[in-house]
Structure formats: structure tokens, C-alpha cells
């Protein structure tokens, strides 16, 4: 399963997660789910559960399947899961340059609650992150 995820990760992100980052997230405080189409992985998400909060660490759709509503479907799945587990809120960071992801989150009710300066590496330096929240309950 990990090799298929890594292929998508490398196609979808300019600065992808390493194999080790994925392995680190396979511990008990994390929740990972894949999206399948005819037994082929086309998307995945990884959440860290911290007390009554979900932190979305990675949410990704294979570039071949982007723009078809599947990212929104995965995000709805996360929200449903958080509600089932009686979480208080969902948090995430997103690159300030990632307009598609920012639109997805804002159209799904997330609000900006902060900004982290130079949070992400880029190919030529660093870039800020918006911190977004969806309050639940
Ligand atoms: C971000 C990502 C998960 C969105 O998934 P997707 O399947 O492409 O998006 P969807 O088709 O479900 O569209 C959801 C919303 O995203 C926004 N969106 C999608 N494509 C867009 C585009 N080309 N331009 C601007 N906004 C766009 C829209 O707000 C859209 O909602 P709407 O159709 O109601 O307007 C996906 O593009 C992806 O995997 N990107 C690479 C990895 C990544 O950046 N992950 C997020 C890290 S924080």
C-alpha cells in the first residue's frame, strides 16, 4: 500500500513527504485512510488525534483524479469521523500558495485562525502557512 501512496505523494506535492514521515504516522495517535477506485489507491488522508482535536496532516488526491469532487468527499469523511468521535475541532496548516486546498477548506467551513511564518520549505527557501480551524459541536 505504501508504494502506491508514495507514487501519488510524489506526483501531487512539490515537496512530498518522505517514506519515514509516512512510517512515523502509522502509530496509535494517527488515523490513516485510503480512497480506492476498483482496488486502486487514488487518494488518502492522515490525521493526528490530540485529545479532542483532529489535526489533518496530509490529504491528497492523485493528480489524475483531482477536480472531480473527491478531495471534498475525503474532507467530508474526516468531518463525519470527527463528529462521531466527538472531537471539538479540526485543525490544519496549508501553504499560503496552495489556492486549491485553501478554497476547499474555506468552502467547507474552515476559518483562518493564524499564520505560521516560514513554516514550510520550498524549492528556493521557506513559505508561510495559514492555520485553519473547523469548530465542531
Ligand atoms: C487539495 C486537494 C485534496 C483537493 O482535492 P480535489 O479532488 O482536487 O478537489 P475537489 O474537486 O473536491 O474540489 C474541492 C474544492 O477545491 C477547490 N478547487 C478544486 N479545484 C480547483 C482549482 N483548479 N482552482 C481553484 N480551486 C479549486 C474548489 O473550492 C472546490 O470546491 P467547489 O467545486 O465546490 O468550488 C487536491 O487538489 C490535492 O490532492 N492536491 C495536492 C495535495 C495538497 O495540496 N493537499 C492539501 C495539503 S494542505
Amino acid at each position: 500500500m505504501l508504494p502506491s501512496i508514495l507514487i501519488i505523494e510524489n506526483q501531487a506535492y512539490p515537496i512530498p513527504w518522505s517514506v519515514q514521515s509516512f512510517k512515523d504516522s502509522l502509530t496509535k495517535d494517527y488515523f490513516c485512510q485510503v480512497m480506492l477506485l476498483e482496488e486502486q489507491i487514488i487518494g488518502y488522508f492522515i490525521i493526528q488525534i490530540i485529545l479532542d482535536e483532529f489535526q489533518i496532516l496530509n490529504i491528497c488526491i492523485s493528480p489524475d483524479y483531482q477536480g472531480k469532487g473527491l478531495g471534498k468527499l475525503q474532507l467530508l469523511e474526516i468531518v463525519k469521523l470527527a463528529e462521531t468521535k466527538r472531537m471539538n475541532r479540526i485543525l490544519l496548516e496549508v501553504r499560503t500558495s496552495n489556492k486549491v486546498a485553501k478554497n476547499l477548506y474555506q468552502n467547507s467551513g474552515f476559518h483562518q485562525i493564524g499564520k505560521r511564518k516560514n513554516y514550510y520549505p520550498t524549492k528556493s527557501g521557506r513559505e508561510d502557512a495559514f492555520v485553519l480551524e473547523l469548530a465542531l459541536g
Side-chain angles (χ1 to χ4, degrees):
M1 189 182 287
L2 194 48
S4 307
I5 289 175
L6 283 167
I7 290 171
I8 297 174
E9 178 77 12
N10 281 285
Q11 291 171 341
Y13 285 102
I15 311 256
W17 275 22
S18 64
V19 184
Q20 194 56 46
S21 300
F22 281 101
K23 286 186 176 162
D24 290 346
S25 64
L26 296 174
T27 63
K28 72 174 171 56
D29 294 331
Y30 295 79
F31 182 87
C32 312
Q33 187 168 301
V34 294
M35 180 178 266
L36 296 174
L37 179 69
E38 291 167 358
E39 295 181 20
Q40 181 197 344
I41 295 177
I42 58 164
Y44 48 88
F45 65 77
I46 299 174
I47 294 161
Q48 186 175 13
I49 304 168
I50 303 172
L51 302 173
D52 58 355
E53 284 178 12
F54 267 12
Q55 299 244 1
I56 301 178
L57 301 185
N58 197 334
I59 175 168
C60 189
I61 296 290
S62 162
D64 292 344
Y65 294 92
Q66 287 176 9
K68 301 175 190 298
L70 298 177
K72 199 186 277 182
L73 201 65
Q74 281 207 126
L75 190 58
L76 274 176
E77 193 67 28
I78 294 171
V79 174
K80 269 197 274 171
L81 195 65
E83 287 172 342
T84 307
K85 291 184 176 291
R86 299 185 181 279
M87 295 287 129
N88 268 332
R89 60 178 184 161
I90 304 176
L91 285 173
L92 60 89
E93 278 109 15
V94 57
R95 286 175 188 269
T96 49
S97 64
N98 194 344
K99 302 239 167 359
V100 173
K102 193 157 181 257
N103 284 347
L104 163 67
Y105 300 131
Q106 288 191 327
N107 292 349
S108 305
F110 283 74
H111 296 284
Q112 189 184 329
I113 56 164
K115 199 172 183 183
R116 296 195 204 282
K117 204 102 189 98
N118 297 324
Y119 186 73
Y120 287 111
T122 65
K123 288 196 169 141
S124 57
R126 310 284 304 176
E127 139 169 53
D128 298 346
F130 292 124
V131 183
L132 304 184
E133 175 196 53
L134 179 71
L136 300 171

